[in-house]
Amino acid sequence: KNQVEQSPQSLIILEGKNCTLQCNYTVSPFSNLRWYKQDTGRGPVSLTIMTFSENTKSNGRYTATLDADTKQSSLHITASQLSDSASYICVVSGNTDKLIFGTGTRLQVFP
Amino acid sequence: GAVVSQHPSRVICKSGTSVKIECRSLDFQATTMFWYRQFPKQSLMLMATSNEGSKATYEQGVEKDKFLINHASLTLSTLTVTSAHPEDSSFYICSALSGGGDLSYNEQFFGPGTRLTVL
């Protein structure tokens, strides 16, 4: 069964600290893996998209990694800001345009 | 990135009435759009795939007669919740598929969502 699991479910950090979110997937065949940021009451916004041949991609303070062999990905946030408080969703695409969503990690950044 | 809009952003209606939600791709054409529903603290759940000029494809368990989808143009898809009930209260999000061009995949851009509350 195609599944995407994320950990932790929620995370609280202090402003300025770094954090890493994890994603494991069992989707096959695999096309690409995406990380989205979703603010409360808003639609998801794409942070990174990686195909199987890419093992790291950065977008500002966000750096995603992908290990297609172990089917794991991580999202590292550097020097967190209050505006980083949101849900971060790992999404995997197979051989169709349908996306398989993880349950998300809810990040709260406190001053 | 490309912009997708939704209207209205929030709507409150009485039980038994119908509500229409619009999804527009503002700066690109989208032959395919998706409709999702999201309950509090849960992830997005795909309801249906909307294809321009043809019937929508619904996911298992989604009533096609209750959630009417019309994709009449390359920039507009509408979702109508018919005879709405309190259990239909949710956050509805659409997305539009943009052709990959040089990319090996199609990018999917999400709208800002519509909060539906049925009293």
Side-chain angles (χ1 to χ4, degrees), chain A residues 31-32 34 36 38 41-44 46 49 51 57 89 97-99 101-103, chain B residues 34 36 38 43-44 46 49 59 91 93 97 104-108 110-112 115:
Chain A
S31 174
N32 57 78
R34 311 163 188 227
Y36 286 90
Q38 185 179 23
R42 306 291 294 173
S46 178
I49 302 177
T51 62
K57 183 167 279 190
I89 309 173
D97 286 316
K98 286 187 181 179
L99 301 180
F101 288 79
T103 51
Chain B
F34 299 92
Y36 298 86
Q38 186 177 32
S43 196
L44 281 70
L46 180 64
T49 303
E59 295 300 299
F91 192 52
I93 304 174
L97 207 59
S104 61
Y105 51 84
N106 293 319
E107 289 212 51
Q108 201 171 131
F110 289 85
R115 173 74 59 191

Side-chain angles (χ1 to χ4, degrees), chain A residues 30-35 48-58 63-67 72-74, chain B residues 105:
Chain A
F30 172 85
S31 174
N32 57 78
L33 184 145
R34 311 163 188 227
W35 282 94
T48 63
I49 302 177
M50 291 181 291
T51 62
F52 71 92
S53 62
E54 299 173 292
N55 55 26
T56 187
K57 183 167 279 190
S58 292
T63 299
T65 65
L66 172 64
D67 186 331
Q72 296 179 324
S73 176
S74 67
Chain B
Y105 51 84

Side-chain angles (χ1 to χ4, degrees), chain B residues 69-86:
Chain B
I69 292 173
N70 187 312
H71 194 154
S73 79
L74 288 172
T75 59
L76 173 64
S77 175
T78 60
L79 169 68
T80 301
V81 183
T82 62
S83 187
H85 289 99

Side-chain angles (χ1 to χ4, degrees), chain B residues 7-78:
Chain B
H7 178 79
S9 58
R10 58 178 63 228
V11 57
I12 301 173
C13 69
K14 293 182 179 179
S15 185
T17 60
S18 294
V19 174
K20 180 185 284 189
I21 302 170
E22 293 185 348
C23 177
R24 294 181 185 272
S25 56
L26 297 185
D27 49 2
F28 66 101
Q29 294 183 331
T31 56
T32 302
M33 292 183 176
F34 299 92
W35 285 97
Y36 298 86
R37 182 165 53 181
Q38 186 177 32
F39 292 107
K41 297 186 179 180
Q42 294 186 23
S43 196
L44 281 70
M45 182 184 74
L46 180 64
M47 298 175 66
T49 303
S50 170
N51 298 297
E52 188 267 338
S54 65
K55 290 183 178 180
T57 305
Y58 290 82
E59 295 300 299
Q60 192 173 10
V62 178
E63 300 175 57
K64 63 179 181 180
D65 294 329
K66 180 168 183 63
F67 298 100
L68 300 179
I69 292 173
N70 187 312
H71 194 154
S73 79
L74 288 172
T75 59
L76 173 64
S77 175
T78 60

Side-chain angles (χ1 to χ4, degrees), chain A residues 21-42:
Chain A
L21 314 180
Q22 301 292 343
C23 173
N24 297 326
Y25 62 93
T26 58
V27 178
S28 182
F30 172 85
S31 174
N32 57 78
L33 184 145
R34 311 163 188 227
W35 282 94
Y36 286 90
K37 177 186 179 187
Q38 185 179 23
D39 292 311
T40 302
R42 306 291 294 173

